[in-house]
Structure formats: structure tokens, C-alpha cells
Amino acid sequence: MLINLKRIDRKEDAPIIFNFPCDDSYISNVYIQLGLEVSTAPNCYIDEILYDLDMNNILKGKQCNIDELNFLFKKMDSFDGKERKVFFASAFAENLKTMAELINLSFNTHCYSLVSDFNNLETVGKDLYLSEKQAVAVKELDEVEGESFAMEVIKNNPNSTITPYGVLYKNSNEPEQIYNGKQFPLYHWEETVATIQLTAKGANEFIYLPCSDVEIEKALMRLETSYLHDCEVAIDSHSFSDRIINIISADTTPLIKIDTLNKLAEYYKEIGNHDIEYFEKLMDHIKPRTVDEIFALADSMYEFELFDGIHSVESYGRYMICESGYFEYDSNLEEYIDFKRYGEGKMANEVGAFSNSGYIVYRGYNQELSNILSENLGMKLPKSKEQQILKLYMPLTITTYDVENEYGYRETADEPLELSNYEVTSYLDEILEAIEKNNLPGEKERGLMKYYDKHDSVNVKVSKYEFSIEMVDDELKGVAVLTLNDDLTEEELEKIKNDITSQTSDGYVPKNNMGRSYIEMV
């Protein structure tokens, strides 16, 4: 929802348009653009709600706190059309003035029933019954005599109010004060990895991980305390296993506990649900004991291969021959195959061990894991090799819609024009800038290997790759720069080439002095 906001102390300034509800980073931007310090006091003036007359009637001209305003719109974001009408009718009938009253109303719409059409009292009665009970079985609703229930509500409800949205009735549900004007109630606007309840001076405040330091600061301000060590910390998460919670909870300092959980939540959000499940399995095999070991495993999780339920050399050999897909297996030959011998030979050439959960193979070089793998599983890691750089070159095509007309002015062409190598050289800095801007924060550690989703030797050997451009024999080339932990086999090289080709297929669209241009590596 678009809202015109001003600072309370600068109502003469031109309003600035913001879009609510929004996430933490956008809220920080609101504070910055309005030139405000983070606070819990009223700090903005609502000049106008754009394109929503109902909301504008309620909020226009009000002073409020930016975070209160955002919380209200987060709650209303869950409303369907009927709930919105009840909210607006209730706000009109109760003549609510403050943001705290409106936030409380957003949690108490079930205490009101709204009728906008009395033509069919049978239907009206059933709707009134359902809105009061909130949820009923289909059979129960079918048995309700709608007309009788509607007449009972109309006759016996002295608090009905005619509103622009219909006739509003208070039902038997009692409203509760959910928001006390200081600490926000628990409310999940978007999916989060974990929720932290902070308790201080008998009050509760909630932060949703991952979050910024500013959000923690705001929570402390609403609790009227300056330090996390003054708070009790309770963790609620379906993503973190009991093992992780127990290890992190061993840290007695709330600051360390929340900082650690927040870092892990950022990691979980980045890797997604499928890889979270894989990471949990990995921890079942290795059983980390400290926070540092958890993060070391997280950094190297793709360097492991797990074989759940494999507990013997023979079963490992049998799995590799019969089920792994590496061989064309004929069950008629089973009695002639020495599965145990094959398993012994394969295990002799890899770093692997049996755990309580199955067999685990490590194909990486992270020496930070040497102690835990040695002590828990008896694995001896090979010495790490010095990383190598491999460059893969590819043709580069640059097209643009930004051209110079016969009069020397720049204009936009109808069809793309391919730039020659001579023309492109004047745009080298812009091209590199465009490639750099296309990199996402989550790609810092592994570059585009972040999106390589196979748990294989390529994932282990290619530590990172990213794109750039270079002049080769007076010709501009696209180049994929690979950081390698070990040499690639021909098969592995082919795999990573295919992945790189897939990544380059979308090209880059720089937003700079090149105008509307397109960079394609093939």
C-alpha cells in the first residue's frame, strides 16, 4: 500500500511515498529517507494513503511510529475482503483514534459481525453464526436455523451501528488487548527460520531470524532495556534441530546465543529446505559438539557424500554395484559378484567411515574438520592442496538499443545492434561493473557454485567460479574464473562446462552508460 509520509516536525516538507507493509531493510530505508533516528515514539505524520479511500479515512492526518504503522499493515496483509470490511466498519463505529487501538482491532475483528444485505435472512443468520463461532463443522452449520438466529441477533443486540459498510453487531466474543502500546505481539508476517522471545521486566518482545542488528536494537528499545544480557531468551524453531538448540543454548550469554542463531538462520535461509534436510542428516552422522564445529560443517557440507543405512563393507559394495547407477547391473550375475571385495577396494581409495547413521565419505580438504572427523569417526584427512585458478573462455556478444543517429545524438533503436570489438573496448569498465552488480550477496563465498545442486566431486573440487571479461588476441572474450581445490577429470570438466553454459544463457543487462544493452556469453 502506498503511503505519503512526513516527519512530525517538518509537516511543511513535501511528503515521501513509501510502500507498506515491508521488510526490515526497507524500513531502515524509510528512516533514512525521512532523516529519522530509530525510536519507539511517534515519528511520522500520515499525509495520505494512496489508492485506498477506506484506509485513508482512518489514517489520514494521524501521527504514529513507523514500526507501528508497518506492523498494522503486516497484520492487515492477511485479511480477506470480508475481514477488511469488518475492520473498517469497526474502526468507524468505535471511532478509533490511536495506532495502538487499530492494531488491537486488527486482532479482534472476530468480535464483530457485519451485515450488508438483509434480503435473505437464512443466509444472513448462518453468516452471523459462522462469524461469531469463527469455525464450525459443516453439519453444525447446516443445522442452524439461519433466519431465527438472524432475528435473535437483530432484536437482542442494542449495540448495532449503521456504517458505510453495513450494519455492525458486537457478538459474544470478548475483545482482548493484544498490543499494549509498547511491545508488539507475536505475529509471523513471512516465513522465518526461528523466532526468539526476549523477556525483560515482565514484558515480552519477539524477533524473527534472520534479522538485522537494528531489529534487535528496536526490540530492546521496546523492552526499555539497553542490553541483551538483561533478557531471558527462548527459542522457537521448526528448522533448528534439538542438537543445534542444545549446543547453542550451552552458551550462557544471550548476545552470543542470538548472534549464533542469527548467523545460522541466514545460512539456512540461503540453502533452502532441501539442503537443510541434508545438513541435518550430515550432523546425525558426524555429531558436532560445538558451535564452531557446526559452522565448519556448514561451510563444507557439499564435500560429503552420505549413505544412510549402509553399515558394512559388503552392503556398501552391494549398493554401489546394484543401486548407485554407476554400473549396468544384471541380477542374474549376483552370485558371481564379490560385493565385499569391491567395497573394500573402493573404501581403500577414499576417506570414509561408518557412523551410527550409515556410511559417510569426505571428498574435501577443510582442515578445520580434521579433529572432529578424526575423533568421532576415525577419518584421516589428506593434506590440503594449494588452490588453483582455471579460466574457461567463451565467445562474447554485446548488443545494444542505444545508438547514435545521423545528427550525433543518442537514441533508442527498434532492433538491437551488435557492437564490434572496436566499439566494445570503450565500454570495458561498464561491462565489468554490470557483471559485478549482477553478483548477489549470497554468492560471495562460492560465486555461482552456490547454484550447483549436485553433491558430487565437482562440487568439492570447484570451490568457486564467477564471470569476467578479458582481451585475448585483440578479441574480447567472456571468461569463467574457477577456483579449484584439485584437478578436474575430463568428465568433471564437462559437467562444470555444462553448468556454466546454463548460467550464461540469460546474459546480463547493464544499467549504466551503455544504455539499454545486453551481454551474452556462449
Side-chain angles (χ1 to χ4, degrees), residues 24 48 51 58 69 101-102 112 156 167 193 200 220 238 250 268-269 296 314 370 408 476 510 514:
D24 298 349
E48 186 180 13
Y51 313 118
I58 293 174
L69 183 66
E101 290 174 327
L102 291 169
Y112 299 88
N156 300 327
V167 180
V193 176
L220 293 176
H238 64 276
Y268 270 36
K269 187 173 182 180
E314 182 177 351
S370 60
L476 192 65
M514 293 182 68

Side-chain angles (χ1 to χ4, degrees), residues 228-235 245-260 291:
L228 273 172
H229 65 67
D230 294 330
C231 303
E232 294 179 16
V233 177
I235 307 164
I245 298 296
N246 291 336
I247 291 174
I248 293 176
S249 294
D251 289 316
T252 56
T253 307
L255 177 60
I256 295 176
K257 188 181 298 185
I258 291 176
D259 184 59
T260 303
V291 169

Side-chain angles (χ1 to χ4, degrees), residues 14-222:
I16 302 176
I17 299 177
F18 300 101
N19 192 16
F20 287 83
C22 53
D23 59 19
D24 298 349
S25 60
Y26 189 90
I27 277 291
S28 295
N29 182 53
V30 175
Y31 275 99
I32 291 170
Q33 288 200 50
L34 290 174
L36 292 168
E37 295 291 329
V38 173
S39 73
T40 57
N43 50 23
C44 67
Y45 172 81
I46 302 172
D47 184 70
E48 186 180 13
I49 308 293
L50 303 176
Y51 313 118
D52 193 324
L53 181 60
D54 295 320
M55 189 59 75
N56 192 53
N57 289 337
I58 293 174
L59 294 181
K60 182 178 174 63
K62 281 186 168 53
Q63 296 181 359
C64 65
N65 177 267
I66 292 171
D67 292 287
E68 274 191 330
L69 183 66
N70 195 40
F71 188 89
L72 173 65
F73 279 103
K74 283 181 177 180
K75 183 64 178 73
M76 293 190 64
D77 196 38
S78 68
F79 285 179
D80 58 24
K82 185 175 181 180
E83 287 173 313
R84 284 178 62 85
K85 283 186 177 181
V86 172
F87 176 83
F88 291 131
S90 306
F92 175 88
E94 302 290 355
N95 193 25
L96 301 183
K97 301 292 186 183
T98 69
M99 192 61 59
E101 290 174 327
L102 291 169
I103 290 174
N104 274 306
L105 174 61
S106 70
F107 284 91
N108 285 293
T109 54
H110 62 284
C111 299
Y112 299 88
S113 300
L114 182 68
V115 180
S116 55
D117 185 354
F118 287 89
N119 286 327
N120 188 330
L121 288 180
E122 180 66 23
T123 300
V124 168
K126 288 183 182 293
D127 286 344
L128 288 170
Y129 185 84
L130 183 59
S131 63
E132 181 171 338
K133 301 295 183 182
Q134 299 179 67
V136 296
V138 174
K139 182 180 179 182
E140 180 182 346
L141 187 61
D142 287 342
E143 292 174 350
V144 172
E145 294 183 4
E147 185 171 347
S148 299
F149 189 84
M151 292 304 299
E152 183 179 341
V153 171
I154 293 170
K155 290 177 181 179
N156 300 327
N157 197 316
N159 298 312
S160 62
T161 306
I162 298 175
T163 76
Y165 311 91
V167 180
L168 187 73
Y169 299 93
K170 284 186 176 179
N171 56 43
S172 62
N173 296 318
E174 289 295 326
E176 298 179 69
Q177 185 190 49
I178 306 297
Y179 177 51
N180 61 9
K182 293 182 180 180
Q183 293 84 36
F184 289 129
L186 178 66
Y187 182 69
H188 291 97
W189 176 56
E190 58 186 1
E191 186 176 354
T192 56
V193 176
T195 302
I196 302 294
Q197 178 180 300
L198 300 177
T199 302
K201 302 175 183 178
N204 299 320
E205 181 65 32
F206 301 90
I207 52 178
Y208 308 93
L209 305 185
C211 72
S212 65
D213 291 341
V214 174
E215 293 307 305
I216 298 175
E217 178 187 336
K218 289 178 185 178
L220 293 176
M221 290 175 67
R222 289 191 284 269

Side-chain angles (χ1 to χ4, degrees), residues 344-363:
E344 289 173 339
K346 184 163 178 59
M347 291 175 66
N349 292 291
E350 62 192 16
V351 179
F354 291 105
S355 72
N356 290 336
S357 298
Y359 184 65
I360 179 171
V361 177
Y362 183 58
R363 306 189 189 281

